[in-house]
Amino acid sequence: MTVLEIALIVATGTLGAGLVTVTVLWLVARRRVRALQRRIGQLQGSHRRRRLVPTPTQAVRGAVGAAIMVKDHGLGEVLRGSVAELANWADVERPDLVRIAAADGSVTIMFSDIADSTQLNHDLGDRAWVQLLAKHDRIVTRAVERHGGHVVKTQGDGFMVAFGSPAEAVRAAVEVQEQVAGVGPRSRLSDVRVRIGAHRGSAVHRDNDLFGRNVAMAARVAAQADGGEILVSSAVAERLDDDEFTLLEPRTVALKGIPGEHAVHPVDWTTSVS
């Protein structure tokens, strides 16, 4: 029995929400299954990356969990992404990103999501929102693949991605913004604005804390971004080539849960070379 079949059984047997809800849930499950298949295809044959592939048990649990969440909270709540939720997941699960790290032991974490997604979901309705998410996910996933990144986790419209290279992370971010900005006026993505943030730090666990702080830092940087903006921490900015990337005037911000003030650097992606 496939993950999709299990999700549908739970949906029809437990939710009793009617054909429309089941159909939309099927679309969500199909999108997740396809994303999983793509990820497995990317990682197949590479021993160094296998730990990032969910086990069948985890996949089934995720599908059933999605069905139960629809019952308890409604479809809209299930589909709304949250950078904070992704960061909390990473802090608890401690994904093994050491193998993805650059030669110096660092990893660049990028978070992205759709600005004002709750309002968009409300305006479009759940069915149209699911279709919009599918288009958005394809853009992000393809950009990540082309620039050597690894999707660690998705949540609704949110992505947590790991890169060995800060430059590749920013190249992927630039490509996402260019692709979204370049859609036609009749596209479902025409009103979408993506916000992206990235931070670079050591991937080595130290008392189960250092990696968690770097993930939190990346999430906080992303949370500072406006729709259509790419923000990077100073740790990323200092590793970027001035001939390729244009950084705008940094701004000093307080990041929730992180002591002190920090500089965040907007990337002028309209002039950067992807």
Side-chain angles (χ1 to χ4, degrees):
M1 182 176 293
T2 66
V3 172
L4 179 56
E5 289 170 338
I6 294 173
L8 288 176
I9 288 171
V10 174
T12 56
T14 304
L15 305 185
L19 181 59
V20 173
T21 298
V22 172
T23 301
V24 176
L25 179 61
W26 176 79
L27 289 173
V28 177
R30 184 179 65 174
R31 183 167 66 87
R32 293 302 186 198
V33 170
R34 287 180 175 176
L36 176 61
Q37 290 171 338
R38 286 196 302 270
R39 195 180 311 171
I40 291 174
Q42 297 161 19
L43 304 181
Q44 191 172 24
S46 177
H47 176 71
R48 63 191 290 270
R49 301 174 185 169
R50 285 176 187 167
R51 292 190 63 178
L52 292 180
V53 181
T55 66
T57 300
Q58 291 170 329
V60 170
R61 186 167 60 243
V64 174
I68 293 172
M69 286 180 67
V70 171
K71 174 177 180 289
D72 292 341
H73 304 292
L75 185 62
E77 287 297 325
V78 175
L79 297 178
R80 290 178 190 130
S82 170
V83 167
E85 288 179 7
L86 288 173
N88 289 337
W89 172 87
D91 194 44
V92 172
E93 296 292 331
R94 303 289 182 185
D96 183 9
L97 299 180
V98 176
R99 298 176 185 274
I100 300 172
D104 63 358
S106 68
V107 64
T108 301
I109 301 294
M110 184 186 88
F111 285 96
S112 76
D113 70 355
I114 297 175
D116 301 319
S117 59
T118 300
Q119 186 62 49
L120 272 175
N121 187 179
H122 175 76
D123 294 343
L124 293 172
D126 290 335
R127 294 174 70 99
W129 176 245
V130 169
Q131 295 172 351
L132 180 150
L133 282 183
K135 294 178 181 295
H136 163 264
D137 284 10
R138 283 195 293 271
I139 287 176
V140 176
T141 302
R142 288 171 183 171
V144 169
E145 290 174 357
R146 275 194 281 264
H147 295 284
H150 306 268
V151 176
V152 179
K153 180 75 171 178
T154 63
Q155 175 73 36
D157 59 285
F159 278 77
M160 176 185 176
V161 186
F163 294 85
S165 162
E168 292 293 2
V170 177
R171 290 183 190 117
V174 167
E175 182 174 331
V176 169
Q177 298 291 21
E178 289 176 340
Q179 291 293 316
V180 172
V183 301
R186 295 184 179 181
S187 170
R188 293 189 183 276
L189 294 176
S190 59
D191 293 328
V192 166
R193 298 294 179 267
V194 177
R195 57 178 189 164
I196 302 175
H199 173 64
R200 169 183 168 273
S202 173
V204 177
H205 295 191
R206 186 174 300 167
D207 298 327
N208 285 330
D209 191 48
L210 184 58
F211 177 69
R213 289 204 301 271
N214 286 325
V215 170
M217 179 73 170
R220 298 295 183 263
V221 171
Q224 291 289 326
D226 295 324
E229 187 175 37
I230 301 170
L231 284 183
V232 299
S233 67
S234 295
V236 172
E238 67 188 13
R239 293 300 183 103
L240 300 180
D241 187 343
D242 292 341
D243 293 333
E244 181 177 2
F245 302 102
T246 300
L247 298 180
L248 304 177
E249 190 69 23
R251 54 185 188 257
T252 302
V253 297
L255 301 178
K256 182 179 178 181
I258 301 176
E261 294 186 325
H262 304 268
V264 291
H265 305 258
V267 177
D268 185 359
W269 53 267
T270 62
T271 60
S272 297
V273 178
S274 61

